[in-house]
């Protein structure tokens, strides 16, 4: 099953985070996606900034990101992270109220393109990696 369909299926199966909102829990969403579809990191990053640091060198050319890449931003106290579902930053799955396609009733789980996310959030783009944290990645 393509990653887009898997992410949509995950969102519909988990419209809330342990009964509460997803907003503010982007790192938790990425960890749970890794766990659900692939391989979770052996050391769990506590937030998106920690995951970005643990991922190592980030590629700043978001248009070259393949399907399954994790995109990292510097924003707020803990940063932000999303998962590229179709490649080239066009469809990035995340926990954010800025999503243009929302997959839950609260409107804080879905996807958005990188340019639209920047326009909505003004977050500084740090880059992408195929790793979430030290070694977590999506394998399906």
């Amino acid at each position: 099953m393509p990653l887009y369909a898997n992410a949509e299926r995950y969102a519909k199966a988990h419209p809330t985070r342990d009964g509460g909102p997803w907003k503010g829990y982007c790192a938790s969403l990425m960890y749970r996606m890794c766990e659900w579809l692939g391989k979770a990191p052996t050391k769990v990053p506590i937030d998106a900034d920690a995951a970005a640091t643990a991922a190592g060198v980030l590629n700043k050319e978001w248009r070259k990101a393949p399907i399954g890449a994790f995109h990292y931003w510097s924003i707020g106290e803990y940063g932000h992270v999303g998962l590229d579902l179709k490649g080239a930053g066009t469809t990035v799955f995340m926990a954010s109220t800025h999503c243009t396609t929302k997959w839950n009733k609260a409107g804080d789980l879905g996807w958005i393109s990188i340019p639209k996310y920047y326009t909505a959030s003004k977050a500084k783009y740090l880059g992408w990696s195929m790793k979430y944290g030290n070694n977590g990645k999506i394998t399906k």
Side-chain angles (χ1 to χ4, degrees), residues 36-102:
W36 197 57
L37 293 175
K39 182 179 177 187
T42 54
K43 294 182 181 177
V44 180
I46 58 170
D47 57 44
D49 281 341
T53 299
V57 177
L58 301 177
N59 187 321
K60 295 197 183 265
E61 297 180 46
W62 56 268
R63 287 182 179 97
K64 293 185 178 181
I67 293 169
F70 294 94
H71 294 277
Y72 296 97
W73 290 267
S74 176
I75 187 169
E77 188 176 352
Y78 303 111
H80 187 61
V81 60
L83 175 64
D84 204 315
L85 302 179
K86 292 188 175 182
T90 61
T91 310
V92 182
F93 181 49
M94 62 178 67
S96 170
T97 56
H98 296 303
C99 292
T100 51
T101 296
K102 299 171 190 297

Side-chain angles (χ1 to χ4, degrees), residues 1-10 30 32-40 66-70 83-87 93 130 135-140:
M1 180 178 292
L3 186 55
Y4 182 96
N6 273 318
E8 184 176 21
R9 190 174 62 140
Y10 181 87
M30 295 303 109
R32 290 173 188 206
M33 280 296 294
C34 286
E35 189 174 56
W36 197 57
L37 293 175
K39 182 179 177 187
I67 293 169
F70 294 94
L83 175 64
D84 204 315
L85 302 179
K86 292 188 175 182
F93 181 49
M130 292 307 292
N135 65 353
K137 57 186 169 181
I138 300 298
T139 57
K140 294 181 184 176

